[in-house]
Amino acid sequence: MSVVTRFAPSPTGYLHIGGLRTALFSWLTARHHGGTFRLRIEDTDLSRNSEEAMAAILRAFDWVGLSYDGEVVYQSQRFDLYREYIDRLLEEDKAYRCYMTREELDALREAQIARGERPRYDSRYRDFTGTPPAGVNPVIRIKAPQEGTIVIDDGIKGRIEIAAEEVDDFIIARSDGTPTYNFVVAIDDALMEITDVIRGDDHLYNTPKQLVIYGALGFTPPRFYHVAMINNEQGKKLSKRDGATDVMEYKARGFLPEALLNFLVRLGWSHGDQEIFSLEEMIELFDPRDINKSASSYNLDKLLWLNAHYIKAKPDAELIELLKDFGVDLSDHPKASAILAATRERGKTLVELAGQIRLITEVPAAYDEKAVKKAFKEDTVELLKDFSFRLYKNQPESQEDFHVEMQRLVEEREIGFGKIGMPLRVSLLGSMTGAGMDEVMAILGVDETIARIERAIGELGVRN
RNA sequence: GACCCUUUCAUCUAGUGGCCAAGGAUGCUGCGUUUUCAUCGCAGUCACAGAGGUUCAAAUCCUCUAAGGGUCGCCA
């Protein structure tokens, strides 16, 4: 039988990285088996739906490149279908109407909590045959088993037994007739023929309820895999306060989707000592049974390291495209590949890389104070003038030509490399760090190099 | 409070009774390469939550304790 997995978000907000990881795990499981990956939107609570959130989730999927099969299923469009199953359960006496009001329910809950009990519905209308109270729109509850145990055979956590008493006759249809979450999930997973349900372990307690539905309707349950949560760097639950939890925020911050995916796949899953996984390798090697039981913590340093790795490996043409979103357009630049060669190892994100590139392509807007202090000494101006005259006279072109010019200067004048290197660097880039000087000069060309040196002398020369 | 889950370096993890005086990666520190920074290379740093068992032998099996987390809705 072919494998079918799904990702089933509710459209109440953007896609966060925890959600993306479970989506990735589900996607990989399907792709590994050449199966099917479906997307389903859990929007049964009509009051909480958001078009915008829906679109945001789809955008995030698109950015990271997770493809889904078939049409997106919207639960809000399947209410008639769910109704049929509710009627069937009612007919078969596997579900019943409950006339308790919200107020009565609240009172019951409070009393139970006060007594130190686990709050649960007391099944008072389970076998009710009398005259229903007037003016109450009933909810519909399922008859859950009252004794025995419900067993979850989880692909990650192993066998989990839950006492039947823990699962009450939960509501499957609200008083307005709309079906509830646990009910529709079970129906849809069954009808969509989902074979492997991979979801966050915050859903672990929903599983016995869904198993009750499967049982009542005679469906065969799928395999379940409950993945532990991702915590923040302090080991606490990831929340919006922890910075970028929105997947699209990573795009804005200059992360590559392959880095994010590689980072996420290693959170709770591994394959020996391997750290770097292409999408193809992930698909080949991933098995949900290898997912770890314990929660893992988000770690920005590792993500940054991976991002740097993928930036280094990115072909020029693709990098040039990506950089456009960060205010750098190298597409018509004759020295584009030289610029990237000089800078790509100096940026952990596209934002940083764009900054490094601008250092070269734009005339320094300011000169770093500390750098100036350190680099500009008494004889600096004279030295720079000498160097720039040599450039004018010899017209070097290649990186090597420029290197030779520097080499000759330090040899003939018997000075250290730093003597010219530092002030030159400050003059050209405005900063003490960055790409190699010969590289930069070859990119700028003689004229621009001289112009920047002269400008720096004009701005800084008189100060010391 | 009840029920359930989890527990190896700071972090992600390898590990399913002997190959483990615990391996890899990130981070951090140092050294080397580099005119600088970064990259890269090398080295160092750092862990089996605790206590009892079982066994010739335990990170691995059992029991208890502790700590962390999840869930208890006419939300999903």
Coordinates of all heavy atoms in Angstrom, one line a residue, chain A residues 76-156:
Chain A
S76 N -13.9 23.5 6.0 CA -15.1 24.3 6.0 C -16.0 24.0 4.8 O -17.2 24.3 4.9 CB -14.7 25.8 6.0 OG -13.9 26.1 4.9
Q77 N -15.5 23.4 3.8 CA -16.3 23.1 2.6 C -16.9 21.6 2.6 O -17.4 21.2 1.7 CB -15.5 23.3 1.3 CG -15.1 24.7 1.1 CD -14.1 24.9 0.0 OE1 -13.7 24.0 -0.7 NE2 -13.6 26.1 -0.2
R78 N -16.7 21.0 3.7 CA -17.1 19.6 3.8 C -18.1 19.3 4.9 O -18.2 18.2 5.3 CB -15.8 18.7 4.0 CG -14.9 18.7 2.8 CD -13.5 18.3 3.2 NE -13.3 16.9 3.6 CZ -13.1 15.9 2.7 NH1 -13.0 16.1 1.5 NH2 -12.9 14.7 3.2
F79 N -18.8 20.3 5.3 CA -19.7 20.2 6.5 C -20.8 19.2 6.2 O -21.2 18.4 7.0 CB -20.3 21.5 6.9 CG -19.3 22.3 7.8 CD1 -18.0 21.9 8.0 CD2 -19.7 23.5 8.3 CE1 -17.2 22.6 8.8 CE2 -18.9 24.3 9.1 CZ -17.6 23.8 9.4
D80 N -21.3 19.1 4.9 CA -22.3 18.2 4.6 C -21.9 16.8 4.8 O -22.6 15.9 5.3 CB -22.8 18.4 3.1 CG -23.5 19.7 2.9 OD1 -23.9 20.3 3.9 OD2 -23.6 20.1 1.7
L81 N -20.6 16.6 4.4 CA -20.1 15.2 4.5 C -20.0 14.8 6.0 O -20.4 13.7 6.4 CB -18.7 15.3 3.9 CG -17.8 14.0 3.9 CD1 -18.4 13.0 2.9 CD2 -16.4 14.3 3.5
Y82 N -19.5 15.7 6.8 CA -19.4 15.4 8.2 C -20.8 15.2 8.8 O -20.9 14.3 9.7 CB -18.7 16.6 9.0 CG -17.3 16.9 8.4 CD1 -17.0 18.3 8.2 CD2 -16.4 16.0 8.0 CE1 -15.8 18.6 7.7 CE2 -15.2 16.3 7.5 CZ -14.9 17.7 7.3 OH -13.7 18.0 6.8
R83 N -21.7 15.9 8.4 CA -23.1 15.8 8.8 C -23.6 14.4 8.6 O -24.3 13.8 9.5 CB -24.0 16.8 8.1 CG -25.4 16.9 8.6 CD -25.5 17.7 9.9 NE -26.2 16.8 10.9 CZ -26.3 17.2 12.2 NH1 -25.7 18.3 12.7 NH2 -26.9 16.4 13.0
E84 N -23.3 13.8 7.5 CA -23.7 12.4 7.2 C -23.2 11.5 8.2 O -23.9 10.6 8.7 CB -23.2 12.0 5.8 CG -24.0 12.6 4.7 CD -23.3 12.2 3.3 OE1 -22.8 11.1 3.3 OE2 -23.4 13.0 2.4
Y85 N -22.0 11.6 8.6 CA -21.4 10.7 9.6 C -21.9 10.9 11.0 O -22.1 10.0 11.7 CB -19.9 10.8 9.6 CG -19.2 10.2 8.4 CD1 -18.9 10.9 7.2 CD2 -19.1 8.8 8.3 CE1 -18.4 10.3 6.1 CE2 -18.5 8.2 7.2 CZ -18.2 8.9 6.1 OH -17.7 8.3 5.0
I86 N -22.3 12.2 11.2 CA -22.9 12.4 12.5 C -24.2 11.8 12.6 O -24.6 11.1 13.6 CB -23.0 14.0 12.8 CG1 -21.6 14.6 13.0 CG2 -23.9 14.3 14.0 CD1 -21.5 16.1 13.0
D87 N -25.0 11.9 11.5 CA -26.3 11.3 11.5 C -26.2 9.8 11.6 O -27.0 9.2 12.3 CB -27.1 11.7 10.2 CG -27.5 13.2 10.2 OD1 -27.5 13.8 11.3 OD2 -27.7 13.7 9.1
R88 N -25.2 9.3 11.0 CA -25.1 7.8 11.0 C -24.8 7.3 12.4 O -25.4 6.4 12.9 CB -23.9 7.4 10.1 CG -23.8 5.9 9.9 CD -22.7 5.6 8.9 NE -21.8 4.6 9.4 CZ -20.6 4.3 8.8 NH1 -20.2 5.0 7.7 NH2 -19.8 3.4 9.3
L89 N -23.9 8.1 13.1 CA -23.6 7.7 14.5 C -24.8 7.8 15.4 O -25.0 7.0 16.3 CB -22.4 8.5 15.0 CG -21.1 8.3 14.4 CD1 -20.0 9.3 14.9 CD2 -20.6 6.8 14.7
L90 N -25.6 8.8 15.1 CA -26.8 9.0 15.9 C -27.8 7.9 15.7 O -28.3 7.3 16.6 CB -27.5 10.4 15.5 CG -27.7 11.5 16.4 CD1 -26.7 11.5 17.6 CD2 -27.5 12.8 15.6
E91 N -27.9 7.5 14.4 CA -28.8 6.4 14.1 C -28.4 5.1 14.7 O -29.2 4.3 15.2 CB -28.9 6.2 12.6 CG -30.0 6.9 11.9 CD -29.8 6.9 10.4 OE1 -29.4 5.8 9.8 OE2 -29.9 8.0 9.7
E92 N -27.1 4.9 14.7 CA -26.6 3.7 15.2 C -26.4 3.7 16.8 O -25.9 2.8 17.3 CB -25.2 3.3 14.6 CG -25.3 3.0 13.1 CD -24.0 2.9 12.4 OE1 -22.9 3.0 13.1 OE2 -24.0 2.6 11.2
D93 N -26.9 4.8 17.3 CA -26.9 4.9 18.8 C -25.4 4.9 19.3 O -25.1 4.5 20.4 CB -27.7 3.8 19.5 CG -28.0 4.1 20.9 OD1 -28.1 5.3 21.2 OD2 -28.0 3.2 21.8
K94 N -24.5 5.4 18.5 CA -23.1 5.5 18.9 C -22.8 7.0 19.4 O -21.7 7.3 19.8 CB -22.2 5.1 17.8 CG -22.2 3.6 17.6 CD -21.4 3.2 16.4 CE -21.4 1.7 16.2 NZ -20.9 1.3 14.9
A95 N -23.8 7.8 19.2 CA -23.7 9.2 19.6 C -25.0 9.7 20.1 O -26.0 9.0 19.8 CB -23.2 10.1 18.4
Y96 N -25.1 10.7 20.8 CA -26.3 11.2 21.4 C -26.3 12.7 21.6 O -25.3 13.3 21.6 CB -26.6 10.4 22.7 CG -25.5 10.7 23.8 CD1 -25.7 11.6 24.8 CD2 -24.4 9.9 23.8 CE1 -24.8 11.8 25.7 CE2 -23.4 10.1 24.8 CZ -23.6 11.1 25.8 OH -22.7 11.3 26.7
R97 N -27.6 13.2 21.8 CA -27.7 14.6 22.0 C -27.6 14.9 23.5 O -28.1 14.1 24.4 CB -29.1 15.1 21.6 CG -29.2 15.0 20.1 CD -30.6 15.6 19.6 NE -30.6 15.5 18.1 CZ -30.8 14.4 17.4 NH1 -31.0 13.3 18.0 NH2 -30.8 14.5 16.1
C98 N -26.8 16.0 23.8 CA -26.6 16.3 25.2 C -27.2 17.7 25.4 O -26.8 18.7 24.7 CB -25.2 16.3 25.6 SG -24.8 17.1 27.1
Y99 N -28.1 17.9 26.4 CA -28.7 19.2 26.6 C -28.2 20.0 27.7 O -28.8 21.0 28.2 CB -30.2 18.9 26.9 CG -30.9 18.3 25.7 CD1 -31.0 16.9 25.5 CD2 -31.5 19.1 24.7 CE1 -31.6 16.3 24.4 CE2 -32.1 18.5 23.6 CZ -32.2 17.2 23.4 OH -32.8 16.6 22.3
M100 N -27.0 19.7 28.1 CA -26.4 20.5 29.2 C -26.0 21.9 28.6 O -25.5 22.0 27.5 CB -25.1 19.8 29.7 CG -25.3 19.2 31.0 SD -23.7 18.4 31.5 CE -23.3 19.4 32.9
T101 N -26.2 22.9 29.4 CA -25.9 24.2 28.9 C -24.4 24.5 29.2 O -23.8 23.8 30.0 CB -26.7 25.3 29.5 OG1 -26.4 25.3 31.0 CG2 -28.2 25.1 29.3
R102 N -23.9 25.5 28.6 CA -22.5 25.9 28.9 C -22.3 26.2 30.4 O -21.3 25.8 31.0 CB -22.0 27.1 28.1 CG -21.8 26.9 26.7 CD -21.7 28.2 25.9 NE -22.1 28.1 24.5 CZ -21.3 27.9 23.5 NH1 -20.0 27.9 23.8 NH2 -21.7 27.8 22.3
E103 N -23.3 26.8 30.9 CA -23.2 27.2 32.4 C -23.2 26.0 33.2 O -22.4 25.9 34.2 CB -24.4 28.1 32.8 CG -24.4 29.5 32.1 CD -24.8 29.4 30.6 OE1 -25.5 28.5 30.2 OE2 -24.3 30.3 29.9
E104 N -24.0 25.0 32.9 CA -24.0 23.8 33.7 C -22.7 23.0 33.6 O -22.1 22.5 34.5 CB -25.1 22.8 33.2 CG -26.5 23.3 33.6 CD -27.6 22.5 32.9 OE1 -27.5 22.3 31.7 OE2 -28.5 22.0 33.7
L105 N -22.2 23.1 32.4 CA -20.9 22.4 32.1 C -19.7 23.1 32.9 O -18.9 22.4 33.5 CB -20.6 22.5 30.6 CG -20.1 21.3 29.8 CD1 -20.6 20.0 30.3 CD2 -20.4 21.5 28.3
D106 N -19.8 24.4 32.9 CA -18.7 25.1 33.6 C -18.8 24.8 35.1 O -17.8 24.6 35.7 CB -18.9 26.6 33.4 CG -18.5 27.1 32.0 OD1 -17.8 26.3 31.3 OD2 -18.9 28.2 31.6
A107 N -20.0 24.7 35.6 CA -20.2 24.5 37.0 C -19.7 23.1 37.4 O -19.0 22.9 38.4 CB -21.7 24.6 37.4
L108 N -20.0 22.1 36.5 CA -19.5 20.8 36.7 C -18.0 20.7 36.7 O -17.4 20.1 37.6 CB -20.0 19.9 35.6 CG -19.5 18.4 35.6 CD1 -20.1 17.6 36.8 CD2 -19.9 17.7 34.3
R109 N -17.4 21.4 35.8 CA -15.9 21.4 35.7 C -15.3 22.0 37.0 O -14.4 21.4 37.5 CB -15.5 22.3 34.5 CG -14.7 21.5 33.4 CD -14.1 22.3 32.4 NE -15.0 23.2 31.7 CZ -15.6 22.9 30.6 NH1 -15.5 21.7 30.1 NH2 -16.4 23.8 30.0
E110 N -15.9 23.1 37.4 CA -15.3 23.8 38.5 C -15.4 22.9 39.8 O -14.4 22.8 40.5 CB -16.1 25.1 38.8 CG -15.5 26.3 38.1 CD -16.3 27.5 38.3 OE1 -16.7 27.8 39.4 OE2 -16.6 28.2 37.3
A111 N -16.5 22.2 39.9 CA -16.7 21.3 41.1 C -15.7 20.2 41.0 O -15.1 19.8 42.0 CB -18.1 20.8 41.1
Q112 N -15.4 19.7 39.8 CA -14.5 18.6 39.7 C -13.1 19.0 40.1 O -12.3 18.3 40.8 CB -14.5 18.0 38.3 CG -15.8 17.2 38.0 CD -16.0 16.9 36.6 OE1 -15.6 17.7 35.7 NE2 -16.6 15.7 36.3
I113 N -12.7 20.2 39.6 CA -11.4 20.7 39.8 C -11.2 21.0 41.3 O -10.2 20.6 41.9 CB -11.1 22.0 39.0 CG1 -11.0 21.7 37.6 CG2 -9.8 22.7 39.5 CD1 -11.0 22.8 36.6
A114 N -12.3 21.5 41.9 CA -12.3 21.7 43.4 C -12.0 20.5 44.2 O -11.4 20.4 45.2 CB -13.6 22.4 43.8
R115 N -12.5 19.4 43.6 CA -12.4 18.1 44.3 C -11.1 17.4 43.9 O -10.8 16.3 44.3 CB -13.5 17.1 43.9 CG -14.7 17.2 44.9 CD -15.8 16.3 44.5 NE -16.7 16.9 43.5 CZ -17.2 16.4 42.5 NH1 -16.9 15.2 42.1 NH2 -18.1 17.0 41.7
G116 N -10.3 18.1 43.1 CA -9.0 17.5 42.7 C -9.1 16.4 41.6 O -8.2 15.6 41.4
E117 N -10.2 16.4 40.9 CA -10.4 15.4 39.8 C -10.1 16.1 38.5 O -10.1 17.3 38.3 CB -11.9 15.0 39.8 CG -12.3 14.2 41.0 CD -13.8 14.0 41.1 OE1 -14.5 14.2 40.1 OE2 -14.3 13.7 42.2
R118 N -9.8 15.2 37.6 CA -9.6 15.6 36.2 C -11.0 16.0 35.6 O -11.9 15.2 35.7 CB -9.0 14.4 35.4 CG -8.7 14.7 34.0 CD -8.3 13.4 33.3 NE -8.2 13.6 31.8 CZ -7.2 14.1 31.2 NH1 -6.2 14.5 31.9 NH2 -7.2 14.2 29.9
P119 N -11.2 17.2 35.1 CA -12.5 17.6 34.6 C -12.9 16.7 33.4 O -12.1 16.5 32.5 CB -12.3 19.0 34.2 CG -10.9 19.4 34.6 CD -10.1 18.2 35.0
R120 N -14.1 16.2 33.5 CA -14.6 15.5 32.4 C -16.2 15.5 32.4 O -16.8 15.6 33.5 CB -14.1 14.0 32.4 CG -14.5 13.2 33.6 CD -13.7 11.9 33.7 NE -13.9 11.0 32.6 CZ -15.0 10.2 32.5 NH1 -15.9 10.2 33.5 NH2 -15.1 9.3 31.5
Y121 N -16.8 15.3 31.3 CA -18.2 15.2 31.2 C -18.7 14.0 31.9 O -18.1 12.9 31.7 CB -18.6 15.3 29.7 CG -20.1 15.1 29.5 CD1 -21.0 16.0 29.9 CD2 -20.5 13.9 28.8 CE1 -22.4 15.8 29.7 CE2 -21.8 13.7 28.5 CZ -22.8 14.7 29.0 OH -24.1 14.5 28.8
D122 N -19.8 14.0 32.6 CA -20.2 12.9 33.4 C -21.3 12.0 32.7 O -21.9 11.1 33.3 CB -20.8 13.4 34.7 CG -22.0 14.3 34.5 OD1 -22.5 14.4 33.3 OD2 -22.5 14.8 35.5
S123 N -21.4 12.1 31.4 CA -22.2 11.2 30.6 C -23.7 11.2 31.0 O -24.4 10.2 30.8 CB -21.7 9.7 30.6 OG -20.4 9.7 30.2
R124 N -24.1 12.3 31.6 CA -25.5 12.3 32.1 C -26.6 12.1 31.0 O -27.7 11.6 31.3 CB -25.8 13.5 33.0 CG -25.8 14.8 32.2 CD -26.1 15.9 33.1 NE -25.0 16.2 34.1 CZ -25.0 17.2 34.9 NH1 -26.0 18.1 34.9 NH2 -24.0 17.4 35.7
Y125 N -26.3 12.5 29.8 CA -27.4 12.3 28.8 C -27.1 11.1 27.9 O -27.7 10.9 26.9 CB -27.5 13.6 27.9 CG -28.2 14.7 28.6 CD1 -27.6 15.8 29.2 CD2 -29.6 14.7 28.5 CE1 -28.3 16.8 29.8 CE2 -30.3 15.8 29.2 CZ -29.7 16.8 29.8 OH -30.3 17.8 30.4
R126 N -26.2 10.3 28.3 CA -25.8 9.2 27.4 C -26.9 8.3 27.1 O -27.1 7.8 26.0 CB -24.6 8.4 28.1 CG -24.0 7.3 27.3 CD -22.8 6.7 28.0 NE -22.4 5.5 27.3 CZ -21.1 5.3 26.8 NH1 -20.3 6.3 26.8 NH2 -20.8 4.2 26.2
D127 N -27.7 8.0 28.1 CA -28.8 7.1 27.9 C -30.2 7.8 28.2 O -31.1 7.1 28.6 CB -28.7 5.8 28.8 CG -27.4 5.1 28.4 OD1 -27.3 4.7 27.2 OD2 -26.6 4.8 29.3
F128 N -30.2 9.0 27.9 CA -31.4 9.9 28.3 C -32.5 9.5 27.3 O -32.4 9.5 26.1 CB -31.0 11.3 28.1 CG -32.1 12.3 28.4 CD1 -32.5 12.5 29.8 CD2 -32.7 13.0 27.4 CE1 -33.5 13.4 30.0 CE2 -33.7 13.9 27.7 CZ -34.1 14.1 29.0
T129 N -33.7 9.3 27.9 CA -34.9 9.0 27.1 C -36.0 9.9 27.4 O -37.1 9.8 26.7 CB -35.3 7.5 27.3 OG1 -35.4 7.3 28.7 CG2 -34.3 6.5 26.6
G130 N -35.9 10.8 28.3 CA -37.0 11.6 28.7 C -37.3 12.8 27.8 O -36.8 12.8 26.6
T131 N -38.0 13.7 28.3 CA -38.3 14.9 27.5 C -37.2 15.9 27.6 O -36.8 16.3 28.7 CB -39.6 15.6 27.9 OG1 -40.5 14.5 28.2 CG2 -40.1 16.6 26.9
P132 N -36.6 16.3 26.5 CA -35.4 17.3 26.6 C -35.9 18.6 27.1 O -37.0 19.0 26.9 CB -34.9 17.4 25.2 CG -35.9 16.7 24.3 CD -36.8 15.9 25.2
P133 N -35.0 19.3 27.9 CA -35.4 20.6 28.4 C -35.7 21.6 27.2 O -35.0 21.5 26.2 CB -34.2 21.0 29.2 CG -33.1 20.1 28.8 CD -33.7 18.9 28.3
A134 N -36.6 22.4 27.4 CA -37.0 23.4 26.4 C -35.9 24.4 26.2 O -35.2 24.8 27.1 CB -38.3 24.0 26.7
G135 N -35.8 24.9 25.0 CA -34.9 26.1 24.7 C -33.5 25.8 24.7 O -32.7 26.7 24.8
V136 N -33.1 24.5 24.7 CA -31.7 24.2 24.7 C -31.3 23.5 23.4 O -31.9 22.5 23.0 CB -31.2 23.3 25.8 CG1 -29.8 22.9 25.7 CG2 -31.6 23.9 27.2
N137 N -30.4 24.1 22.6 CA -29.9 23.5 21.4 C -28.9 22.5 21.8 O -27.9 22.9 22.4 CB -29.3 24.5 20.4 CG -30.4 25.2 19.7 OD1 -31.4 24.7 19.4 ND2 -30.0 26.5 19.4
P138 N -29.1 21.2 21.6 CA -28.2 20.2 22.1 C -26.9 20.1 21.3 O -26.9 20.5 20.1 CB -29.0 18.9 22.0 CG -29.8 19.1 20.8 CD -30.2 20.6 20.8
V139 N -25.8 19.7 22.0 CA -24.6 19.3 21.3 C -24.7 17.8 21.0 O -25.6 17.2 21.6 CB -23.3 19.6 22.1 CG1 -23.2 21.1 22.4 CG2 -23.3 18.8 23.4
I140 N -23.9 17.3 20.2 CA -23.9 15.9 20.0 C -22.5 15.3 20.5 O -21.5 15.8 20.2 CB -24.1 15.5 18.5 CG1 -25.5 16.0 18.1 CG2 -23.9 14.0 18.3 CD1 -25.7 16.0 16.6
R141 N -22.7 14.3 21.3 CA -21.5 13.6 21.9 C -21.4 12.2 21.5 O -22.4 11.5 21.2 CB -21.6 13.7 23.5 CG -21.5 15.0 24.1 CD -21.7 15.0 25.6 NE -21.5 16.3 26.2 CZ -20.4 16.9 26.5 NH1 -19.3 16.2 26.3 NH2 -20.4 18.1 27.1
I142 N -20.2 11.7 21.4 CA -19.9 10.4 21.0 C -19.9 9.5 22.2 O -19.5 10.0 23.3 CB -18.6 10.2 20.2 CG1 -18.4 8.8 19.7 CG2 -17.4 10.6 21.1 CD1 -18.2 8.7 18.3
K143 N -20.3 8.3 22.1 CA -20.3 7.3 23.2 C -18.9 6.7 23.2 O -18.6 5.8 22.5 CB -21.3 6.2 23.1 CG -22.7 6.7 23.4 CD -23.7 5.5 23.3 CE -25.1 6.0 23.8 NZ -26.1 4.9 23.7
A144 N -18.1 7.2 24.2 CA -16.7 6.7 24.3 C -16.8 5.4 25.2 O -17.7 5.3 26.0 CB -15.8 7.7 24.9
P145 N -15.8 4.5 25.0 CA -15.8 3.3 25.8 C -15.7 3.7 27.3 O -14.9 4.6 27.6 CB -14.6 2.5 25.3 CG -13.8 3.4 24.5 CD -14.8 4.5 24.0
Q146 N -16.4 3.0 28.2 CA -16.4 3.4 29.6 C -15.4 2.6 30.4 O -15.1 2.9 31.6 CB -17.8 3.4 30.1 CG -18.6 4.4 29.4 CD -20.0 4.5 30.0 OE1 -20.7 3.6 30.1 NE2 -20.3 5.7 30.5
E147 N -14.9 1.5 29.8 CA -13.9 0.8 30.5 C -12.9 0.2 29.6 O -13.1 0.2 28.4 CB -14.5 -0.4 31.4 CG -15.5 -1.2 30.6 CD -16.3 -2.1 31.5 OE1 -16.6 -1.7 32.7 OE2 -16.6 -3.3 31.1
G148 N -11.8 -0.3 30.1 CA -10.7 -0.8 29.3 C -9.7 0.2 29.1 O -9.7 1.3 29.7
T149 N -8.8 0.0 28.1 CA -7.8 0.9 27.8 C -7.7 1.2 26.3 O -8.1 0.3 25.5 CB -6.3 0.4 28.2 OG1 -6.1 -0.9 27.6 CG2 -6.2 0.3 29.7
I150 N -7.3 2.4 26.0 CA -7.1 2.7 24.6 C -5.6 2.7 24.3 O -4.9 3.4 25.1 CB -7.7 4.1 24.3 CG1 -9.2 4.1 24.6 CG2 -7.5 4.5 22.9 CD1 -9.9 5.4 24.5
V151 N -5.2 2.0 23.4 CA -3.8 1.9 23.1 C -3.4 2.7 21.9 O -4.0 2.5 20.8 CB -3.4 0.4 22.9 CG1 -1.9 0.3 22.5 CG2 -3.7 -0.4 24.2
I152 N -2.4 3.5 22.1 CA -1.8 4.2 20.9 C -0.4 3.5 20.7 O 0.4 3.4 21.5 CB -1.5 5.7 21.2 CG1 -2.7 6.4 21.7 CG2 -0.9 6.4 20.0 CD1 -2.5 7.7 22.3
D153 N -0.3 3.0 19.5 CA 1.0 2.4 19.1 C 1.8 3.4 18.3 O 1.7 3.5 17.1 CB 0.7 1.1 18.3 CG 2.0 0.3 18.1 OD1 3.0 0.6 18.8 OD2 2.0 -0.5 17.2
D154 N 2.5 4.2 19.1 CA 3.1 5.4 18.4 C 4.5 5.0 17.8 O 5.3 4.4 18.5 CB 3.3 6.5 19.4 CG 3.7 7.8 18.8 OD1 2.8 8.6 18.4 OD2 4.9 8.1 18.7
G155 N 4.7 5.5 16.6 CA 6.0 5.2 15.9 C 7.2 5.8 16.5 O 8.3 5.4 16.2
I156 N 7.0 6.8 17.4 CA 8.1 7.4 18.0 C 8.2 7.1 19.5 O 9.2 6.7 20.0 CB 8.0 9.0 17.8 CG1 8.2 9.3 16.4 CG2 9.1 9.7 18.7 CD1 7.9 10.8 16.0

